Amino acid sequence: ALVEADAAKIEQVLANLVGNAVKYSPNGSKIIISSVVEKDQVKISVHDEGIGLTPEEMPLVFDRFFRANNEKTRFVKGFGIGLYISREIVERHGGKIGVQSEADQGSIFWFSLPLAGLL
């Protein structure tokens, strides 16, 4: 699938999603990266087996400086801006970003971009 995008910026989004999957998942767990064309978009997903998010955290996870504050995240480093920046990049490319998650069950972070010529 072809998209019109700034390759370095989309690489930054993907690196952030994969980096978070690694940071918030136990050693030896799986991280699955997939892509699929859905209608007029390509959707990239990063699925992990990590700590997941609570229902209260999910609407906030893309907010600037948001960091989950619990026992499982206490020793994880970060400033809480990676997902915020990722959202900005994806939306400026005409795409969408989201998450499906359940506490202690892992997360699927995804973003979609319009196929080339469809903006």
Side-chain angles (χ1 to χ4, degrees), residues 8-91:
K9 295 295 184 191
I10 299 306
E11 181 180 352
Q12 182 179 354
V13 172
L14 190 55
N16 185 59
L17 298 184
V18 172
N20 282 351
V22 170
K23 279 198 298 192
Y24 293 103
S25 296
N27 289 339
S29 63
K30 292 181 187 176
I31 296 171
I32 300 169
I33 303 167
S34 61
S35 67
V36 63
V37 174
E38 295 179 345
K39 295 184 182 180
D40 58 351
Q41 299 186 39
V42 62
K43 184 176 182 180
I44 311 295
S45 301
V46 178
H47 183 175
D48 67 53
E49 297 175 338
I51 62 174
L53 298 164
T54 66
E56 296 79 25
E57 293 167 333
M58 286 192 30
L60 305 172
V61 74
F62 294 102
D63 289 355
R64 191 175 189 181
F65 301 122
F66 174 78
R67 291 196 28 97
N69 188 16
N70 60 55
E71 186 65 29
K72 295 176 183 172
T73 62
R74 193 167 54 147
F75 298 107
V76 178
K77 294 179 182 179
F79 293 107
I81 60 170
L83 290 174
Y84 169 78
I85 291 170
S86 294
R87 182 185 73 192
E88 289 293 316
I89 291 169
V90 169
E91 288 179 354

